[in-house]
Amino acid sequence: MEYKFKEIEQKWQKRWADNGTYRVNEDESRRKFYVLNMFPYPSGAGLHVGHPLGYIASDIYARYKRLCGYNVLNPMGYDAYGLPAEQYAIQTGQHPAVTTAQNINRYREQLDKIGFSFDWNREVRTCEPGYYHWTQWAFQKMFNSYYDNDLNKAQPIADLIRHFEQKGSDGINAAQSEELDFTAGEWNSYDERRKSDILMNYRIAYQGETMVNWCQELGTVLANDEVVEGVSVRGGFPVEQKKMRQWCLRVSAYSQRLLDGLDTIDWSESIKETQRNWIGRSEGTEMVFHVKDSDFKFTIFTTRADTIFGVTFMVLAPESELVAALTASDRKKEVDEYIDKVRKRTERERIADRKVTGVFSGSYAINPLTGEDVPIWISDYVLAGYGTGAIMAVPAHDSRDYAFAKHFGLEIRPLIEGCDVSEESFDAKEGIMMNSPRPDQAGSAGLVLNGLTVKEAIAATKKYVKEHKLGKIKVNYRLRDAIFSRQRYWGEPFPVYYDNGIPKMIPESCLPLELPEIKEYRPTATGEPPLGHAVKWAFDTASDKIVDKSLIDNKTVFPLELNTMPGFAGSSAYYLRYMDPHNGKCLVSPEADNYWKCVDLYLGGSEHATGHLIYSRFWNKFLYDFGYSTVEEPFSKLINQGMIQGRSNFVYRIKDTNTFVSLGLKDNYDTTPIHVDVNIVSNDILDVEAFKAWRPEYNTADFILEDGKYVCGWAVEKMSKSMFNVVNPDVVIEKYGADTLRMYEMFLGPLEQSKPWDTNGIDGCHRFVRKLWNMFFDRNGNVCISDEEPVKDELKSIHKLIRKVTSDIEGFSFNTSVSAFMICVNELSALKCNKREILGILVRLISPFAPHISEELWEILGHNSTICDSNWPECDEKYLVEDNITYSISFNGKTRFTMDFPMDATSGQVQEAVLANDRTQSYIDGKTIRKVIVVPRKIVNIVL
RNA sequence: GCUCGAAUGGUGGAAUGGUAGACACGAGGGACUUAAAAUCCCUUGACCUUUACCGGUUGUGCGGGUUCGAGUCCCGCUUCGAGCACCA
């Protein structure tokens, strides 16, 4: 009988949907397993063949786990807020909600054809009020919390306020933007605005002044990669560095926990390393420097306290608040000019163009150990955002300080024996220290490091600094707080209103605050974000939501926050929402959360290593602190599937003609390669007629063929429209069916590796699927299943497969499973096996990979229930015992001959006493064999 | 510059330290067929030897090392890819 994949696949997809086969509920009597894919942003281009790779892999795992008896949660949804829909709206006026819904429908159509076991009943969309309710809720919780460094967790801000009222800032060890110092009396005397400002210093979601790339013309903040040479990429408008009040999340408070958590989860080492890098923990010393002839003092951060005797100048970041205080009056003009110049440059430009620049402030600091005067400079190689924005410069042992010193002719004082600093600095943290001032010298202050190793010297200096109260040991992190405001329309509105300019939360009972309709998606004429167009919304909603309408009498200021949240807001806790997606009372019920706990297997691209995967870990830790999430790390195992790249095809046009020459002959001509649509090329052979019809200009094209064919060239490139190398899964399914597509995507190569989509190999997988199908039918197309007892070889073949596929799936080695299926089907076909028992095992093993055909064949085998409700076959090792085992006998390292030794069928042991033990040395025959090395189940080398 | 990966036939890729190249594609040959499609069988790393069978040499980016035995482990390179990058 013919394998009609289209009918079979439609039949089963319909049946699964009608019967709710993949609906899942919390069931305390069964073990749970939570499989999750990073949900997609539904783009207008639809899915290409690379998108489903991870979904297929996770679906295989989910189906496998289900057959193993687990209650599997395998949900899918959409990250629906995003820039493309908004930009499309600006161009066309089409509401982003409309385009997004269209795109989602298209995605769903495409996904449904692939035969996933998603529980669509649990779908979430981040742009729906029922969903973003909980994004807004979490934001409010963060606003109402601070991070207690002693307890190492987030706490209600009310506790902090109570502390301020009773004791002021004394005894507070909280994550903060800057160090504040006030008494209870002072706090109680502050007005509301002052109190609000102070609390912002501690809140986990806070408003802060941050440096941003501001584009006046576009009316928005731009990311660094949207700015080139001081102008916006889009439009070419000038961009300036500007301090702006923005909502931020105090992610940095969680730095240490984010770092420690990495040791508890099963992620790839490379992605953990990326995150460690991003968090950037560095342990060092903060030291206080007094300013000469002044009461002023400032703090620097260094990891090389040992180099204190090599300090020959200090450097401040241009943005540092210290600059104004430390600039001498006669240097003010030059300093101002320098600062002005620096301000115009974006951070990116600063990094790209590393010319040494700087200016002398006119002030001197006093080295706390030697009492020496040290000139204070200002330069943009010091960053305001890291450490204290000020450094002690040791040109001999830091390459950046070295470059600066060389450029401005400052002293370079080496501290390590035998190092040569005439050409470059000696940065390595190794060697023996020298050049400390002698103990009897003025300024030695009793610390002599000479003769110590760098490591010892760092420790000694730290100890000294601590004992003499010159500073303290400090851990710094590179991780910055996340800027959480966007001047956009298509995002979650902030549940925030302003009362005389003081931000306040809309009552929780009034959430969600819904996004209004607007007519114009650009910023307003007055420079407000797009939501500024929704004047009525901004006032009326506020008055609806806030009981006291008298709060909004001042109509010169919008009472609602007009910024929206960034893309990562909605994707930070969606895995929790899937557990209980329709709950209107809370993000997730404690019962559901307690059952599903965390994601057991998370699949997604590695491009989210420093974005989503940090933010959602932070978000979850925050929720965990308040008991809203039961597990501290949300994703216990992470697999990063590789990207599927495009495989482009080229034709070669002879210059200035309309003649195209085949690949093998192109070197005889002067040709230009031209991308050709991969859909009219098959196995690199061009469909010449389709090519002529492709574009009008090729209508009259001539061809120089080889062997009667036009052979195209190829290259691996990103899959994109402009390369004409996009392959749509629908087209593949139309031609081969979903089961073949699924098999082939897995067969293509290791899951975590990037690889090009090469349509050439798909025939092999299709052939395999058909071969499987044909095993169930005789020559006349009638079902031909036998109830005879399986023979030994059949049992052996199928149990080998059980063992292989089980371990492959557990190890995410899906490509080798597909090979194993092919081998097994070939073996069984050769044996003309049509035994019901064997085939039943076979289709169950294949079902996670090719669910439709498996269901159909399962039915043909006479089962009433779906294959999803069957169980995973178990391997019985007794069928795998070899009859005999071959040993190679080596002589001086060369294989001389091989011998077969019989094996005991029940014990699996070799029936030769002399070979009974593993890896033993034995003497077989006093004359010739000296040593026997036994490798179990494999080969035995007998060295003569 | 730093960190992490990777390197195996014409191609995608297999190989708990134990017969390298499974499986698949492509290619070549053959069977069936009026023909095509489909299907099936054989060959397929390179080189040498042989009429043929048999047999041999060499071979996993490069150079060393450990081992009876290395694609695999260790040391030192080369190249490619990814990420971070003035982080004191």
Side-chain angles (χ1 to χ4, degrees):
Chain A
M1 199 163 86
E2 202 191 333
Y3 167 47
K4 292 179 182 152
F5 53 82
K6 204 175 288 182
E7 285 174 21
I8 293 169
E9 288 173 5
Q10 280 170 3
K11 167 181 160 186
W12 287 100
Q13 283 164 13
K14 184 165 185 305
R15 198 173 291 184
W16 293 331
D18 291 348
N19 297 347
T21 307
Y22 302 117
R23 284 268 179 101
V24 58
N25 290 305
E26 293 73 45
D27 178 354
E28 290 294 343
S29 69
R30 290 165 71 205
R31 289 175 299 176
K32 67 97 188 183
F33 199 91
Y34 186 177
V35 177
L36 183 65
N37 288 283
M38 289 184 188
F39 62 173
Y41 172 77
S43 84
L47 289 174
H48 67 61
V49 101
H51 292 116
L53 181 75
Y55 308 154
I56 294 170
S58 63
D59 195 55
I60 289 170
Y61 203 79
R63 286 173 181 274
Y64 161 73
K65 277 287 178 188
R66 178 173 171 155
L67 291 177
C68 290
Y70 287 84
N71 189 26
V72 177
L73 175 56
N74 183 25
M76 182 47 82
Y78 305 96
D79 184 17
Y81 277 132
L83 219 50
E86 177 152 352
Q87 273 161 344
Y88 190 72
I90 291 172
Q91 284 158 21
T92 64
Q94 175 89 276
H95 196 289
V98 175
T99 23
T100 302
Q102 284 170 355
N103 293 346
I104 286 177
N105 290 340
R106 171 94 185 97
Y107 264 56
R108 178 64 190 273
E109 235 171 71
Q110 289 185 292
L111 288 171
D112 279 348
K113 284 185 192 162
I114 305 175
F116 293 117
S117 63
F118 296 133
D119 179 1
W120 282 108
N121 196 38
R122 291 178 182 253
E123 180 197 299
V124 301
R125 300 181 185 189
T126 55
C127 66
E128 282 184 351
Y131 180 89
Y132 65 68
H133 182 151
W134 304 105
T135 312
Q136 294 176 336
W137 168 85
F139 170 80
Q140 291 199 337
K141 286 274 173 246
M142 291 182 195
F143 179 81
N144 288 319
S145 306
Y146 77 104
Y147 195 86
D148 188 315
N149 285 333
D150 291 331
L151 297 174
N152 233 325
K153 62 190 285 200
Q155 292 288 298
I157 197 89
D159 293 1
L160 189 69
I161 295 172
R162 210 169 305 126
H163 185 104
F164 288 163
E165 285 166 351
Q166 289 162 10
K167 296 175 188 157
S169 64
D170 192 42
I172 287 293
N173 182 12
Q176 57 193 3
S177 306
E178 57 177 313
E179 190 117 18
L180 297 180
D181 198 13
F182 51 84
T183 64
E186 283 170 328
W187 169 264
N188 291 322
S189 71
Y190 293 150
D191 64 7
E192 195 188 354
R193 179 179 302 264
R194 182 88 185 261
K195 283 180 177 167
S196 166
D197 286 349
I198 288 174
L199 289 173
M200 285 300 183
N201 194 48
Y202 300 96
R203 294 183 193 276
I204 288 181
Y206 65 96
Q207 264 187 332
E209 299 276 337
T210 15
M211 279 295 190
V212 292
N213 298 311
W214 173 255
C215 179
Q216 183 62 43
E217 302 286 329
L218 293 174
T220 189
V221 166
L222 295 175
N224 275 340
D225 59 318
E226 294 171 319
V227 183
V228 170
E229 285 166 15
V231 298
S232 63
V233 172
R234 197 168 286 273
F237 303 117
V239 171
E240 55 182 322
Q241 294 288 299
K242 189 174 160 185
K243 246 191 178 169
M244 272 182 72
R245 213 166 164 72
Q246 302 269 306
W247 284 103
C248 302
L249 301 185
R250 205 175 297 283
V251 180
S252 61
Y254 284 82
S255 297
Q256 190 60 48
R257 280 169 66 187
L258 287 167
L259 194 61
D260 293 341
L262 291 173
D263 296 330
T264 69
I265 48 184
D266 184 8
W267 291 17
S268 76
E269 207 40 53
S270 79
I271 213 134
K272 284 190 190 179
E273 206 47 44
T274 305
Q275 291 214 341
R276 287 193 191 106
N277 208 330
W278 189 257
I279 296 166
R281 183 181 200 273
S282 81
E283 217 177 297
T285 314
E286 272 190 355
M287 273 195 254
V288 178
F289 279 69
H290 288 264
V291 178
K292 192 189 176 192
D293 302 329
S294 154
D295 293 336
F296 207 80
K297 59 185 178 181
F298 62 98
T299 309
I300 60 96
F301 175 75
T302 180
T303 53
R304 292 295 302 272
D306 60 307
T307 58
I308 184 73
F309 298 123
V311 175
T312 54
F313 58 101
M314 313 291 293
V315 187
L316 307 177
E319 299 86 356
S320 168
E321 282 149 25
L322 298 166
V323 168
L326 294 180
T327 301
S329 51
D330 60 325
R331 303 287 303 164
K332 193 167 184 330
K333 186 162 167 280
E334 276 163 84
V335 170
D336 285 350
E337 274 171 17
Y338 180 70
I339 304 272
D340 206 47
K341 206 171 76 192
V342 168
R343 188 171 297 151
K344 288 208 177 76
R345 307 213 306 169
T346 62
E347 201 163 332
R348 172 165 281 238
E349 283 176 301
R350 265 168 72 158
I351 290 160
D353 164 30
R354 296 195 185 171
K355 264 194 305 214
V356 177
T357 63
V359 63
F360 177 48
S361 72
S363 301
Y364 291 83
I366 301 165
N367 185 319
L369 269 87
T370 64
E372 247 181 311
D373 293 350
V374 189
I376 301 172
W377 287 69
I378 296 156
S379 173
D380 65 358
Y381 84 86
V382 173
L383 304 176
Y386 185 77
T388 60
I391 62 155
M392 63 179 212
V394 185
H397 302 295
D398 183 288
S399 54
R400 296 151 300 177
D401 297 345
Y402 187 88
F404 194 83
K406 278 277 178 188
H407 189 263
F408 289 105
L410 299 161
E411 189 195 344
I412 296 166
R413 195 184 296 167
L415 296 172
I416 291 173
E417 286 178 11
C419 70
D420 174 14
V421 294
S422 59
E423 290 299 324
E424 55 181 3
S425 60
F426 182 83
D427 291 14
K429 288 188 187 179
E430 54 194 49
I432 304 296
M433 306 297 297
M434 62 172 190
N435 274 351
S436 298
R438 287 205 316 274
D440 53 334
Q441 260 181 331
S444 93
L447 179 70
V448 179
L449 302 171
N450 291 349
L452 299 180
T453 64
V454 168
K455 230 177 151 184
E456 291 162 349
I458 292 176
T461 318
K462 273 186 179 171
K463 188 162 168 260
Y464 183 93
V465 166
K466 220 167 135 186
E467 280 169 3
H468 292 74
K469 299 208 173 354
L470 301 172
K472 57 185 179 187
I473 311 306
K474 176 85 197 272
V475 178
N476 259 324
Y477 299 91
R478 207 184 66 97
L479 186 68
R480 315 260 181 107
D481 290 345
I483 297 177
F484 202 61
S485 303
R486 295 292 183 270
Q487 293 72 37
R488 302 281 180 193
Y489 168 70
W490 192 230
E492 298 87 350
F494 280 88
V496 172
Y497 69 93
Y498 288 91
D499 173 10
N500 277 321
I502 299 171
K504 294 189 175 172
M505 294 297 118
I506 284 173
E508 198 179 317
S509 59
C510 299
L511 296 182
L513 172 64
E514 293 198 25
L515 187 67
E517 299 283 326
I518 56 172
K519 291 194 187 73
E520 167 70 53
Y521 301 99
R522 277 178 230 276
T524 67
T526 53
E528 297 286 356
L531 282 182
H533 293 293
V535 181
K536 195 165 151 37
W537 169 79
F539 285 101
D540 292 357
T541 314
S543 37
D544 290 345
K545 303 271 180 192
I546 304 156
V547 187
D548 185 358
K549 293 195 184 192
S550 68
L551 285 173
I552 48 166
D553 49 1
N554 177 3
K555 300 227 173 185
T556 57
V557 179
F558 280 108
L560 282 186
E561 171 68 56
L562 299 178
N563 283 303
T564 55
M565 298 186 194
F568 68 83
S571 59
S572 287
Y574 73 112
Y575 54 90
L576 288 171
R577 191 61 182 165
Y578 277 137
M579 297 174 184
D580 194 8
H582 307 299
N583 195 324
K585 298 218 162 53
C586 52
L587 168 65
V588 48
S589 73
E591 297 75 40
D593 184 40
N594 209 36
Y595 180 70
W596 296 112
K597 288 196 163 61
C598 66
V599 176
D600 297 293
L601 173 65
Y602 196 29
L603 268 101
S606 54
E607 66 272 19
H608 297 106
T610 52
H612 163 64
L613 288 173
I614 290 261
Y615 296 129
S616 53
R617 289 181 63 218
F618 152 77
W619 202 284
N620 187 73
K621 281 175 195 298
F622 171 78
L623 295 177
Y624 171 79
D625 285 349
F626 286 104
Y628 297 115
S629 173
T630 51
V631 175
E632 170 141 18
E633 285 293 339
F635 314 118
S636 29
K637 183 173 176 66
L638 174 72
I639 301 259
N640 298 113
Q641 86 269 21
M643 284 246 286
I644 297 232
Q645 298 146 311
R647 188 180 186 279
S648 312
N649 276 113
F650 298 94
V651 291
Y652 300 91
R653 183 167 65 194
I654 300 172
K655 279 211 171 119
D656 306 320
T657 68
N658 205 12
T659 300
F660 295 84
V661 57
S662 184
L663 177 69
L665 305 169
K666 79 175 168 68
D667 292 342
N668 304 332
Y669 305 88
D670 186 8
T671 58
T672 323
I674 296 170
H675 275 99
V676 59
D677 190 340
V678 291
N679 293 301
I680 58 171
V681 178
S682 172
N683 287 351
D684 292 335
I685 308 296
L686 180 71
D687 179 338
V688 170
E689 290 310 313
F691 179 72
K692 283 183 173 178
W694 184 40
R695 292 281 177 85
E697 65 262 39
Y698 301 140
N699 223 330
T700 58
D702 289 323
F703 301 91
I704 299 174
L705 308 176
E706 47 185 322
D707 303 331
K709 295 175 203 156
Y710 189 96
V711 182
C712 298
W714 61 274
V716 173
E717 296 173 305
K718 191 176 168 351
M719 199 172 270
S720 96
K721 263 185 182 170
S722 62
M723 315 275 197
F724 301 107
N725 59 9
V726 175
V727 180
N728 186 317
D730 301 4
V731 174
V732 178
I733 289 171
E734 182 68 24
K735 194 167 169 200
Y736 298 101
D739 287 331
T740 300
L741 174 75
R742 292 169 61 109
M743 285 293 231
Y744 186 57
E745 293 233 357
M746 292 302 104
F747 183 71
L748 219 42
L751 183 59
E752 304 194 43
Q753 193 173 303
S754 285
K755 57 238 163 193
W757 177 263
D758 183 353
T759 312
N760 290 351
I762 199 164
D763 287 312
C765 283
H766 191 58
R767 241 169 255 160
F768 159 74
V769 175
R770 270 209 313 261
K771 204 163 173 176
L772 171 70
W773 177 259
N774 287 330
M775 286 180 78
F776 288 69
F777 303 95
D778 64 16
R779 205 176 284 267
N780 305 317
N782 299 316
V783 176
C784 178
I785 306 291
S786 148
D787 280 313
E788 280 171 61
E789 282 294 306
V791 300
K792 200 172 162 193
D793 283 346
E794 292 166 345
L795 287 164
K796 189 169 167 181
S797 181
I798 201 74
H799 281 270
K800 220 165 62 187
L801 185 68
I802 297 171
R803 188 169 64 177
K804 173 79 176 147
V805 173
T806 307
S807 71
D808 277 355
I809 294 181
E810 293 284 2
F812 300 93
S813 181
F814 300 125
N815 55 329
T816 51
S817 311
V818 177
S819 295
F821 289 136
M822 292 175 176
I823 294 168
C824 184
V825 165
N826 274 339
E827 282 173 1
L828 294 178
S829 296
L831 292 166
K832 302 218 180 339
C833 173
N834 61 349
K835 312 279 168 64
R836 194 181 305 275
E837 183 186 336
I838 300 287
L839 295 177
I841 296 174
L842 181 64
V843 292
R844 275 181 288 157
L845 292 175
I846 292 179
S847 69
F849 293 80
H852 312 87
I853 188 176
S854 305
E855 290 279 18
E856 185 70 19
L857 293 174
W858 186 247
E859 198 175 67
I860 289 171
L861 283 172
H863 297 274
N864 295 325
S865 58
T866 59
I867 207 165
C868 313
D869 294 322
S870 65
N871 61 329
W872 188 252
E874 274 180 33
C875 171
D876 190 338
E877 296 279 336
K878 82 177 178 213
Y879 297 117
L880 301 177
V881 174
E882 303 285 335
D883 294 338
N884 53 46
I885 189 162
T886 304
Y887 303 101
S888 63
I889 313 296
S890 306
F891 183 68
N892 286 347
K894 303 237 176 180
T895 304
R896 289 302 175 195
F897 57 94
T898 61
M899 302 168 64
D900 286 345
F901 288 80
M903 282 184 81
D904 186 277
T906 46
S907 69
Q909 294 296 310
V910 177
Q911 292 177 320
E912 287 286 319
V914 77
L915 297 172
N917 299 321
D918 290 355
R919 292 179 185 277
T920 52
Q921 296 189 2
S922 303
Y923 293 88
I924 289 184
D925 181 317
K927 260 184 189 169
T928 46
I929 301 174
R930 280 189 285 116
K931 192 161 123 192
V932 183
I933 298 161
V934 182
V935 182
R937 295 204 156 273
K938 283 278 183 176
I939 282 169
V940 177
N941 276 331
I942 299 176
V943 183
L944 302 179

